[in-house]
Amino acid sequence: MNDQTLIADLRAQLAAQQAAHLYRRRRIQDAPAQPHGSSDGRSVLSFCSNDYLGLANHPDVIAALQHGAARWGVGSGAAHLVNGHTAAHHALEEALAEFTGQPRVLLFSTGYMANLGVITALTGRGDTLFQDRLNHASLLDGAQLSRATLRRYPHCNTNELNQLIAKDPPQLIATDGVFSMDGDLAPLPALMQIARDAGAWLLIDDAHGFGVLGRGGRGSLHHFGLSADETTVVMGTLGKAFGTFGAFVAGAEEVIETLIQRARSYIFTTAMPPALAEATRVSLRLAEREDWRREQLQTLIARFRHGAAQLDLPLANSFTPIQPLLVGTAELALAWSQQLETVGILVSAIRPPTVPAGTARLRITLSAAHSETDVDRLLTALAAIQLPPD
Ligand SMILES: *Cc1c(COP(=O)(O)O)cnc(C)c1O
């Protein structure tokens, strides 16, 4: 094969993706992450961000990042195990351990890497691991990398999981706490019991639970009134409700030590900038103390769901800030998203392979930084959508 063929192959694949309405494009934002911004040069109202508490652009968090950079410089300069692990990182780990109520916490550079790290450190060739069919891509990719046998169970179906487990006992069960594209919660009380009975680790990816659910935003486990036992490992991201960047894993002392020794996505990568750890400590404190942010979210969620139900829109069964409208085909999801964009409202169309075929959707996300007027504007625009004739 010569170079010409290689490029021609790519071109054909890209064209096929476009024909299937699955082509992805980036918009160029020219304002910070906040509901009222500007994209591709025009002013927009956005419902796409995971900045659920409105902290990404908070003046105290910005100031902490600036002071952090003045104190520590910008780059950490090395991996944690070389000499990139600063007192700023360490203080954030301790603050997160206290926040989660877990014995220890380890920072990772991203949530994607944290999931790869936990799964590859706790499972290996010859093991079986079970995952919810709708888990985040990073959990599924972690399973591939681990070389363990990956088995997927139907979404939130613990009966089916129990039957599968009886035939094939797992080393680990992994689930999103709040499902990222659906907004619903995993049945954590049942999953904890199943994992305990099976003698398996339970890994909860709470990227969308921390900051939003439970007292002080302590996440999905707290929402259910549960506390982690020694074999529960919880992953949280810092780039969503906490408004900064990075991720953490909370668990037993032995789990965290094992990650330090074995998690390649921890060992072989540069530590996050220490200034970011300083900024995150401030946003963590705001997230924990400012309950009005969670209350505002609940008000907006109720308002949106009430209005959407009156319009007979295809709402999902979610009471979190992730409020998908299940429109069906990729083409329809794009058409809805494009019509909203013509009136200056940004909502992402989520298509396969991010979600199963036939379940393309508009992924509407609400933030404490939205107002009730913003939600009403969205509802008005949704009511006015004209679908193209078949
Ligand atoms: C965003 C997300 C991740 C990845 O976190 P990053 O820090 O963005 O890499 C992992 N799991 C879930 C469920 C997520 O939504």
Side-chain angles (χ1 to χ4, degrees):
M1 227 191 261
N2 62 32
D3 291 2
Q4 287 287 301
T5 338
L6 291 173
I7 291 293
D9 280 353
L10 292 186
R11 208 179 288 136
Q13 287 162 22
L14 290 168
Q17 198 167 337
Q18 201 150 8
H21 307 284
L22 296 175
Y23 207 77
R24 289 148 190 259
R25 282 194 171 77
R26 304 167 305 166
R27 290 191 199 95
I28 301 178
Q29 312 296 327
D30 36 32
Q34 57 194 9
H36 292 271
S38 151
S39 166
D40 289 337
R42 28 191 305 247
S43 94
V44 289
L45 170 59
S46 143
F47 293 90
C48 321
S49 168
N50 299 315
D51 177 28
Y52 302 121
L53 298 180
L55 293 173
N57 199 29
H58 191 289
D60 295 357
V61 181
I62 296 171
L65 185 68
Q66 288 168 333
H67 291 145
R71 162 76 173 84
W72 297 102
V74 177
S76 64
H80 283 276
L81 289 180
V82 181
N83 66 351
H85 187 68
T86 66
H89 297 107
H90 210 73
L92 176 58
E93 288 181 343
E94 286 175 347
L96 285 165
E98 196 175 325
F99 176 71
T100 57
Q102 289 263 50
R104 252 182 101 184
V105 157
L106 191 70
L107 290 178
F108 278 77
S109 294
T110 70
Y112 189 100
M113 294 162 79
N115 280 339
L116 296 192
V118 173
I119 295 176
T120 54
L122 296 182
T123 69
R125 205 189 292 281
D127 292 332
T128 296
L129 66 96
F130 278 90
Q131 297 208 18
D132 189 291
R133 194 167 279 290
L134 298 187
N135 273 355
H136 190 264
S138 54
L139 289 168
L140 299 168
D141 292 358
Q144 301 290 340
L145 197 58
S146 74
R147 299 185 174 90
T149 302
L150 168 63
R151 316 214 51 187
R152 297 166 82 181
Y153 56 92
H155 184 48
C156 292
N157 189 334
T158 49
N159 286 335
E160 182 89 15
L161 174 61
N162 263 320
Q163 286 171 18
L164 293 167
I165 280 183
K167 285 178 260 169
D168 197 359
Q171 181 78 9
L172 181 145
I173 300 170
T175 184
D176 283 19
V178 175
F179 287 85
S180 57
M181 297 299 141
D182 294 77
D184 57 342
L185 268 72
L188 292 182
L191 287 173
M192 269 185 95
Q193 190 59 50
I194 292 171
R196 207 176 290 138
D197 293 346
W201 298 104
L202 178 63
L203 168 59
I204 303 168
D205 174 341
D206 215 13
H208 302 277
F210 278 118
V212 173
L213 296 176
R215 187 177 56 84
R218 281 175 178 73
S220 300
L221 276 174
H222 282 75
H223 167 83
F224 285 108
L226 297 167
S227 46
D229 56 25
E230 283 192 307
T231 53
T232 308
V233 183
V234 186
M235 195 287 288
T237 58
L238 303 172
K240 288 167 181 154
F242 297 119
T244 60
F245 184 83
F248 66 92
V249 174
E253 179 72 32
E254 294 81 355
V255 170
I256 299 303
E257 277 303 316
T258 299
L259 293 177
I260 295 172
Q261 310 309 317
R262 282 202 218 148
R264 295 167 67 86
S265 60
Y266 180 77
I267 300 168
F268 297 107
T269 200
T270 302
M272 70 162 71
L276 213 47
E278 299 283 28
T280 304
R281 260 196 310 151
V282 170
S283 73
L284 174 64
R285 204 159 55 225
L286 291 166
E288 188 177 356
R289 290 187 188 162
E290 297 191 343
D291 283 326
W292 67 264
R293 294 178 188 275
R294 276 174 291 279
E295 287 156 16
Q296 166 76 353
L297 263 177
Q298 286 312 318
T299 303
L300 298 175
I301 292 166
R303 192 177 186 90
F304 174 75
R305 290 189 64 81
H306 178 75
Q310 283 189 326
L311 294 171
D312 234 357
L313 293 171
L315 272 172
N317 183 24
S318 158
F319 63 89
T320 66
I322 303 167
Q323 290 292 326
L325 292 180
L326 298 158
V327 303
T329 65
E331 189 174 9
L332 216 44
L334 268 189
W336 282 53
S337 165
Q338 281 161 0
Q339 279 209 26
L340 290 173
E341 196 167 348
T342 60
V343 292
I345 292 180
L346 296 188
V347 177
S348 315
I350 306 286
R351 294 163 285 166
T354 307
V355 293
T359 72
R361 63 200 65 187
L362 290 189
R363 181 174 181 267
I364 294 165
T365 51
L366 298 167
S367 162
H370 284 119
S371 66
E372 293 182 47
T373 315
D374 293 336
V375 169
D376 293 347
R377 231 186 101 192
L378 171 63
L379 288 165
T380 305
L382 285 167
I385 283 190
Q386 304 278 331
L387 293 178
D390 288 329

